[in-house]
């Protein structure tokens, strides 16, 4: 918008109204100041009329200086009087393609955009062109122009490819190599997200290798290669000397690179603090020896073995990695570990070294539980025995809608003795849950917070546990004491009689809650009758908040 105004101004147009106020997302005090300056610079009503004076009093020269920069519409060109820093702030408010178009305004503007610190190159913002020629030419031009700027300016570079016509492994390799060679990128983000390709999975496409170069001065790198034939190859030499953050999302490594990623991180990333890998194929074994690593997150990485030695490591997340390919072994040596989130299978050959003090352990099943002749198998006790002491223990218990035997699952969970606070997050997923939950709560004397996600449930569950739960009311008359329970959160509340009974039962187990939060399911609007049925909550908690969802917004009704 602002670029079009500047272009019109250069042709001498008249501006009857100021440009509109920027969107709230850009309405920061600094940007608002820049917009105010820009509006006052191109709006003619703020310009005082010229003075006419008698000859010989010397003021004619002063008047000519005031009006010498007038433009055809009667306004004064104040934009050009702004300093370069403010002009760059203005250019940052518009897409890069529009910022480049301002080069036609005057000689001063020709190379101004090349000093922008942020370069966002998205192919869906570039129209026309045969195949990917237009977008490829744009990226080539932008990168070569900014690489020639002296002195070097730190840049935040993002390249995103959404269409198949714009995917060219050799061209992408050349872009990454150019950025790495000229060392101007503080952050480099390369995202290939090609998802709407007709019959892509059925075609036999040859592998296309993206050779990733070594970025010696870049601090943050994120990479996504969501394309069926794309494979990532790593550099065989060089050191990522400044890299502190590496995020890999949907990447299929080449056979050699998959075996080498651990060595690259361990020996050639001396400053790496954060490593995130999500939906990775081609890494069967990952071995990390890092003196700088602080945060490690592995999600949907199809691997069989994980070995980590990191004296500064503080947080570890492992989710759905070993369950995908029957993991063999895990070893973790991280004495400073503070938070662990493990929602995955636990290989039998698992070893965790001494930990000074673990603050929080989150344990959950990766997928639906496995029912077998000996009962219900669960990984909870297998994982928790490797982390025997923790301040806060959080158990994630999702029960698959088709799972049979969730009562036995609850019975087989063995809680550790050394924890200060316990949080339960239970997702019944259409199952009747009262009796099995009460059985588990009997062993949770130290429970501090209870979070139940009910999900959509219609009718009575079909498994034997649900039938037993529905026909038996013995749990409703039981008495257990949860003296430490302070916070109760129930999501996807439907207001059924079974849910109300469970809510009343929990309230009888606690003298007084600190806070109760109730959130109805998305398609449920509470009636006045439900409001009356929930009235007993006010006497059970210092704070009671009840919400229903309308147009994706939480509306509080109690």
């Amino acid at each position: 918008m602002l670029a079009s105004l500047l272009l019109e101004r250069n042709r001498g147009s008249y501006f009857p109204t100021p440009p509109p106020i920027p969107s709230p997302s850009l309405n920061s005090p600094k940007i608002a100041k820049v917009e105010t300056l820009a509006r006052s610079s191109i709006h003619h009503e703020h310009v005082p009329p010229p003075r006419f004076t008698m000859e010989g009093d010397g003021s004619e020269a002063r008047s000519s200086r005031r009006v010498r920069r007038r433009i055809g519409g009667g306004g004064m060109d104040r934009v050009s009087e702004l300093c370069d820093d403010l002009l760059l702030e203005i250019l940052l408010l518009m897409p890069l393609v529009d910022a480049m178009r301002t080069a036609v305004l005057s000689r001063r503007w020709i190379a101004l955009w090349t000093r922008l610190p942020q370069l966002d190159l998205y192919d869906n913002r570039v129209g026309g062109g045969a195949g990917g020629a237009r977008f490829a030419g744009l990226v080539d031009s932008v990168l070569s122009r900014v690489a020639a700027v002296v002195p070097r300016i730190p840049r935040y570079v993002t390249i995103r490819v959404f269409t198949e016509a714009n995917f060219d492994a050799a061209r992408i390799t050349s872009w990454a190599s150019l950025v790495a060679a000229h060392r101007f990128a503080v952050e480099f983000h390369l995202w290939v997200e090609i998802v709407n390709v007709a019959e892509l999975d059925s075609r036999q496409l040859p592998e296309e290798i993206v050779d990733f170069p070594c970025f010696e001065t870049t601090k943050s790198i994120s990479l996504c290669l969501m394309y069926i034939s794309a494979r990532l190859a790593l550099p065989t030499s060089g050191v990522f000397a400044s890299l502190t953050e590496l995020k890999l999302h949907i990447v299929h490594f080449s056979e050699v690179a998959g075996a080498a990623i651990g060595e690259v991180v361990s020996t050639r990333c001396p400053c790496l603090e954060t490593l995130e890998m999500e939906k990775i194929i081609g890494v069967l074994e990952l071995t990390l020896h890092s003196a700088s690593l602080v945060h490690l997150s592995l999600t949907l990485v199809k691997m069989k073995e994980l070995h980590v030695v990191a004296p500064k490591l503080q947080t570890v997340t492992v989710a759905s990695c070993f369950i995908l390919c029957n993991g063999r072994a895990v070893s973790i040596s991280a004495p400073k570990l503070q938070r662990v989130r493990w929602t995955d299978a636990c290989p039998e050959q698992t070893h965790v070294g001494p930990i000074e003090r673990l603050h929080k352990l989150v344990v959950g099943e990766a997928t639906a539980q496995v029912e077998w002749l000996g009962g219900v198998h669960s990984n909870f006790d297998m994982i928790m025995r490797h982390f025997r002491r923790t301040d806060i223990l959080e158990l994630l218990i999702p029960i698959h809608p088709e799972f049979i035997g969730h009562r036995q699952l609850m019975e087989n969970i063995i809680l550790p003795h050394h924890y200060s606070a316990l949080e339960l997050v239970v997702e019944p997923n259409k199952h009747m849950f009262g009796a099995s939950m009460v059985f588990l709560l009997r062993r949770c004397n130290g429970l501090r917070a209870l979070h139940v996600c009910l999900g959509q449930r219609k009718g009575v569950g079909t498994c034997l546990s649900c039938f037993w739960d529905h026909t038996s009311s013995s749990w409703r008359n039981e008495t257990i004491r949860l003296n430490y329970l302070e916070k109760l959160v129930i999501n996807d509340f439907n207001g059924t009689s079974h849910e109300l009974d469970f809510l009343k039962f929990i309230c009888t187990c606690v003298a007084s809650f600190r806070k109760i939060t109730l959130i109805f399911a998305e398609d449920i609007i509470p009636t006045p009758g439900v409001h009356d049925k929930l009235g007993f909550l006010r006497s059970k908690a210092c704070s009671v908040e009840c919400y229903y969802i309308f147009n994706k917004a939480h509306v509080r009704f109690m």
Side-chain angles (χ1 to χ4, degrees):
M1 178 272 301
L2 190 53
S4 62
L5 292 177
L6 294 171
L7 292 172
E8 290 294 330
R9 183 214 63 184
N10 195 53
R11 290 194 290 266
S13 297
Y14 174 75
F15 297 89
T17 57
I21 298 174
S23 60
S25 61
L26 298 175
N27 196 19
S28 65
K30 184 175 182 180
I31 293 178
K33 180 179 179 182
V34 174
E35 287 285 344
T36 303
L37 288 171
R39 283 200 298 269
S40 64
S41 302
I42 60 178
H43 189 39
H44 79 285
E45 293 180 358
H46 300 286
V47 182
R51 292 193 332 178
F52 296 94
T53 59
M54 299 293 291
E55 286 186 313
D57 64 354
S59 58
E60 183 177 355
R62 291 193 297 272
S63 295
S64 65
R65 285 197 296 270
R66 290 194 188 97
V67 300
R68 71 179 183 271
R69 301 194 63 173
R70 283 187 175 279
I71 58 179
M76 183 176 291
D77 179 12
R78 290 185 178 176
V79 171
S80 297
E81 295 179 355
L82 297 177
C83 64
D84 286 355
D85 289 342
L86 285 177
L87 292 179
L88 289 172
E89 292 283 356
I90 295 173
L91 294 183
L92 282 173
L93 300 178
M94 61 184 74
L96 179 60
V97 175
D98 293 338
M100 295 173 64
R101 292 191 179 114
T102 61
V104 304
L105 295 176
S106 67
R107 292 182 180 178
R108 181 188 180 190
W109 291 81
I110 290 177
L112 187 61
W113 68 268
T114 64
R115 296 167 54 193
L116 286 170
Q118 183 170 327
L119 304 175
D120 294 330
L121 295 159
Y122 298 177
D123 70 345
N124 59 352
R125 296 180 181 176
V126 181
R134 186 181 180 90
F135 177 68
L138 172 68
V139 178
D140 289 341
S141 175
V142 169
L143 295 181
S144 60
R145 289 285 303 276
V146 300
V149 174
V150 178
R152 186 183 298 120
I153 298 173
R155 315 275 186 168
Y156 299 84
V157 182
T158 302
I159 302 176
R160 304 191 77 159
V161 178
F162 296 96
T163 57
E164 186 181 14
N166 289 327
F167 178 80
D168 184 339
R171 204 70 175 259
I172 291 176
T173 298
S174 68
W175 295 337
S177 300
L178 191 152
V179 175
H182 288 84
R183 304 183 180 185
F184 58 76
V186 177
E187 294 185 5
F188 181 69
H189 310 287
L190 175 60
W191 286 70
V192 178
E193 301 172 88
I194 303 175
V195 292
N196 297 322
V197 181
E199 301 180 357
L200 181 61
D201 294 335
S202 63
R203 285 183 280 160
Q204 298 296 323
L205 298 177
E207 291 187 359
E208 298 184 62
I209 303 297
V210 175
D211 290 302
F212 203 68
C214 180
F215 289 77
E216 296 182 358
T217 60
T218 302
K219 295 182 178 180
S220 177
I221 295 176
S222 65
L223 183 63
C224 171
L225 291 179
M226 190 191 302
Y227 189 62
I228 190 170
S229 66
R231 301 292 184 270
L232 181 68
L234 297 174
T236 57
S237 61
V239 177
F240 295 80
S242 301
L243 188 64
T244 61
E245 182 180 66
L246 176 60
K247 296 182 179 180
L248 304 175
H249 177 74
I250 311 183
V251 174
H252 193 155
F253 283 93
S254 66
E255 185 176 352
V256 175
I261 179 63
E263 184 271 335
V264 171
V265 171
S266 301
T267 63
R268 294 158 59 191
C269 300
C271 299
L272 188 66
E273 297 179 355
T274 299
L275 174 62
E276 295 182 8
M277 301 175 66
E278 180 179 4
K279 298 180 181 178
I280 305 298
I281 299 176
V283 181
L284 294 179
E285 297 181 10
L286 181 61
T287 301
L288 303 174
H289 292 265
S290 175
S292 60
L293 193 63
V294 178
H295 306 288
L296 174 64
S297 178
L298 305 172
T299 303
L300 291 170
V301 181
K302 295 183 179 180
M303 60 183 177
K304 292 182 176 293
E305 295 188 16
L306 172 66
H307 305 282
V308 179
V309 178
K312 293 184 179 180
L313 189 63
Q314 296 181 9
T315 63
V316 170
T317 297
V318 179
S320 302
C321 296
F322 302 106
I323 199 169
L324 297 176
C325 54
N326 194 19
R328 292 191 299 256
V330 173
S331 64
I332 300 175
S333 176
K336 300 293 184 181
L337 205 56
Q338 296 183 6
R339 294 176 180 270
V340 175
R341 183 182 181 90
W342 196 287
T343 54
D344 202 344
C346 182
E348 292 186 3
Q349 298 181 26
T350 298
H351 173 74
V352 178
I355 300 174
E356 293 180 3
R357 180 168 183 174
L358 186 63
H359 176 64
K360 186 170 185 178
L361 172 64
V362 180
V363 182
E365 297 285 357
T367 59
Q369 322 303 328
V370 180
E371 185 179 22
W372 56 323
L373 295 177
V376 180
H377 173 66
S378 174
N379 284 319
F380 283 101
D381 56 331
M382 297 178 63
I383 298 170
M384 288 187 290
R385 69 186 180 188
H386 298 291
F387 302 93
R388 296 185 179 276
R389 292 180 178 273
T390 179
D391 292 338
I392 301 174
L393 174 63
E394 180 177 338
L395 300 182
L396 308 178
I397 311 176
I399 305 172
H400 193 273
E402 306 303 325
F403 176 66
I404 299 176
H406 58 85
R407 180 187 174 196
Q408 293 93 323
L409 168 66
M410 298 291 196
E411 292 176 355
N412 288 355
I413 294 177
I414 301 176
L415 297 175
H417 297 287
H418 304 290
Y419 60 86
S420 301
L422 176 64
E423 300 177 5
L424 293 180
V425 180
V426 183
E427 299 180 17
N429 287 323
K430 299 183 180 181
H431 289 277
M432 307 295 283
F433 60 93
S436 54
M437 278 290 294
V438 171
F439 186 91
L440 179 61
L441 291 174
R442 288 198 201 106
R443 295 173 289 159
C444 299
N445 296 327
L447 183 65
R448 297 290 182 90
L450 176 60
H451 190 169
V452 183
C453 303
L454 299 178
Q456 298 294 328
R457 298 192 301 108
K458 295 182 180 180
V460 180
T462 56
C463 71
L464 293 177
S465 295
C466 290
F467 178 78
W468 175 79
D469 195 318
H470 183 66
T471 57
S472 173
S473 60
S474 59
W475 64 269
R476 295 171 174 84
N477 301 321
E478 290 191 27
T479 301
I480 60 176
R481 304 308 302 173
L482 302 174
N483 297 324
Y484 298 100
L485 187 58
E486 299 178 346
K487 185 178 180 180
L488 174 64
V489 180
I490 299 182
N491 279 337
D492 293 328
F493 190 74
N494 292 267
T496 64
S497 59
H498 184 84
E499 294 171 353
L500 286 170
D501 288 345
F502 177 75
L503 184 58
K504 291 178 181 178
F505 173 82
I506 292 296
C507 288
T508 61
C509 300
V510 181
S512 179
F513 286 94
R514 183 168 55 86
K515 186 175 182 179
I516 298 177
T517 302
L518 204 63
I519 302 176
F520 278 76
E522 189 167 355
D523 58 346
I524 303 295
I525 304 296
T527 63
V530 173
H531 186 279
D532 295 338
K533 292 179 181 179
L534 296 174
F536 70 93
L537 294 176
R538 295 191 181 92
S539 62
K540 297 300 297 184
C542 300
S543 174
V544 177
E545 298 179 1
C546 296
Y547 300 89
Y548 65 90
I549 301 175
F550 183 75
N551 287 339
K552 298 183 179 180
H554 286 65
V555 181
R556 184 172 179 176
F557 73 95
M558 183 175 172

